[in-house]
């Protein structure tokens, strides 16, 4: 019986048309009895005419920061590495029109009309997360030098849709307001610990129930620190946008019956710019009108 089965199989192979083996195999597999399992996949296509936002957050980054001796309250090396990783994502997926990052998170906004990965949420999220995570590891030494990366960092992601320009701006405003709130608290907390001599539990008790004005007063009256003079990178986070720049190069050409001469060629290219500015007010959006698409 086995011998007959083998002979029949060989006969089928001899009678096949000379297409590539890969194509024939794929076709057979696609029509196999196991194909029904594809019906278990859920449709995660993102609704059209909506901005797609993929937000990444560091997984258990408090522990990661402690074990890698991040400077408190802000480590510029870590913030710069986050931004470099985000730039890598934007370079890979140029349908991302703006990205905003602070602390251990970054939000990536795909333009409303994008059709990357057929707008599948799982594909968009996993591609952003994998590109970001691998870039974080790849560029680690560029920012931390000989300090060893003790273990791979983890980032989780989510996909959220925003149907209008107003909704998207409110989302980004929320993230920047969150940056301000967290950084003000952390600045006061670590100033009380590092310069005020309090333990972490004492500093936490001191700040319970305080408002923003109270925190500003502690910094100014006790430590002569004006919070408004702190680095915009820490207070406002980082905004990544595409900006057009003109690049000029000189070329030598030789025309028939003429001497060789030099000409200047100017090309317009898109580059990613990292900004530390306010994105809650109107000024930023008026200066960057290409980010938002018409609501109509």
């Amino acid at each position: 019986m086995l011998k007959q089965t083998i002979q029949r199989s060989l006969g089928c192979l001899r009678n096949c048309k000379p297409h590539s083996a890969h194509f024939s195999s794929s076709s057979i597999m696609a029509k196999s009895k196991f194909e029904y399992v594809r019906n278990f996949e859920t449709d995660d296509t993102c609704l059209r005419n909506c901005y797609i936002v993929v937000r990444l957050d560091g997984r258990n980054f408090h522990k990661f920061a402690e074990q890698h001796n991040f400077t408190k309250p802000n480590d510029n090396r870590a913030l710069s590495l986050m931004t470099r990783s985000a730039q890598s994502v934007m370079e890979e997926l140029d349908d991302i029109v703006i990205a905003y990052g602070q602390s251990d998170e970054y939000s990536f906004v795909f333009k409303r009309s994008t059709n990357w990965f057929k707008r599948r949420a799982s594909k968009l999220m996993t591609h952003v997360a994998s590109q970001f995570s691998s870039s974080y590891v790849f560029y680690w030494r560029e920012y931390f030098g000989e300090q060893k990366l003790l273990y791979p960092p983890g980032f989780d992601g989510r996909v959220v849709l925003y149907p209008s320009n107003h909704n998207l701006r409110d989302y980004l405003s929320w993230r920047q307001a969150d940056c301000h709130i967290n950084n003000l608290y952390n600045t006061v907390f670590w100033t009380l610990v590092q310069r005020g001599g309090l333990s972490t539990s004492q500093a936490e008790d001191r700040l319970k129930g305080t408002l923003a004005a109270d925190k500003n007063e502690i910094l100014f009256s006790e430590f002569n620190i004006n919070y408004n003079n702190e680095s915009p990178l820490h207070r406002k986070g980082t905004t990544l946008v595409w900006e057009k720049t003109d690049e000029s190069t000189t070329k030598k050409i030789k025309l028939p019956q003429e001497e060789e001469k030099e000409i200047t060629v100017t090309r317009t290219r898109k580059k990613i710019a990292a900004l530390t500015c306010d994105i809650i007010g109107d000024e930023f959006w008026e200066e960057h009108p290409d980010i938002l698409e018409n609501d109509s």
Side-chain angles (χ1 to χ4, degrees), residues 271-285:
K271 285 188 174 181
I272 300 171
L275 310 176
T276 53
C277 61
D278 177 80
I279 59 174
I280 296 175
D282 293 331
E283 184 178 351
F284 170 82
W285 301 99

Side-chain angles (χ1 to χ4, degrees), residues 201-259:
S201 58
Q202 288 173 330
E204 188 176 343
D205 289 337
R206 175 77 188 277
L207 293 176
K208 279 182 180 177
T210 57
L211 303 176
D214 302 320
K215 296 180 179 70
N216 276 290
E217 181 60 25
I218 292 173
L219 287 174
F220 188 75
S221 63
E222 299 183 27
F223 302 99
N224 197 30
I225 296 174
N226 185 339
Y227 179 74
N228 291 327
N229 294 333
E230 293 294 293
S231 168
L233 170 63
H234 304 155
R235 292 185 292 112
K236 299 179 183 297
T238 302
T239 303
L240 301 180
V241 295
W242 291 101
E243 289 189 346
K244 293 179 181 178
T245 58
D246 292 332
E247 294 183 353
S248 298
T249 56
T250 302
K251 291 185 177 182
K252 291 183 178 181
I253 64 168
K254 186 175 182 181
L255 299 174
Q257 299 179 346
E258 289 188 19
E259 294 183 0

Side-chain angles (χ1 to χ4, degrees), residues 25-26 60 70 78 100 129 160 175 217 236 244 271 278:
S25 175
S26 299
N60 202 8
F70 282 12
Y100 175 77
V160 187
R175 300 321 304 146
E217 181 60 25
K236 299 179 183 297
K244 293 179 181 178
K271 285 188 174 181
D278 177 80

Side-chain angles (χ1 to χ4, degrees), residues 65-209:
E66 289 288 343
Q67 295 192 348
H68 289 88
N69 300 314
F70 282 12
T71 304
K72 303 292 186 179
N74 293 290
D75 191 310
N76 288 336
R77 301 169 302 170
L79 293 173
S80 297
L81 177 55
M82 289 285 292
T83 293
R84 182 62 188 90
S85 302
Q87 288 175 332
S88 176
V89 173
M90 288 185 69
E91 290 163 356
E92 183 75 13
L93 301 169
D94 60 7
D95 263 10
I96 296 172
V97 290
I98 184 172
Y100 175 77
Q102 52 125 338
S103 186
D104 65 339
E105 72 167 59
Y106 245 99
S107 296
F108 300 90
V109 181
F110 287 81
K111 65 184 182 181
R112 178 181 278 162
S113 56
T114 188
N115 200 38
W116 274 90
F117 303 114
K118 298 182 180 179
R119 297 178 69 89
R120 290 189 61 184
S122 56
K123 289 281 190 178
L124 291 167
M125 183 178 65
T126 53
H127 195 99
V128 169
S130 62
Q131 183 71 27
F132 190 94
S133 301
S134 59
S135 297
Y136 194 96
V137 174
F138 184 81
Y139 292 111
W140 173 267
R141 288 191 63 181
E142 188 173 317
Y143 296 93
F144 284 85
E146 295 303 315
Q147 181 175 331
K148 188 177 179 181
L149 181 62
L150 301 177
Y151 57 89
F155 296 89
D156 60 58
R158 71 199 71 187
V159 176
V160 187
L161 305 183
Y162 294 99
S164 72
N165 292 337
H166 177 76
N167 295 148
L168 179 63
R169 283 189 56 177
D170 279 354
Y171 168 78
L172 292 169
S173 296
W174 171 49
R175 300 321 304 146
Q176 188 166 67
D178 185 73
C179 173
H180 162 71
I181 293 168
N182 290 337
N183 188 67
L184 176 58
Y185 180 91
N186 289 332
T187 300
V188 182
F189 180 89
W190 287 107
T191 300
L192 288 170
V193 172
Q194 295 168 353
R195 293 178 56 179
L198 300 186
S199 67
T200 54
S201 58
Q202 288 173 330
E204 188 176 343
D205 289 337
R206 175 77 188 277
L207 293 176
K208 279 182 180 177

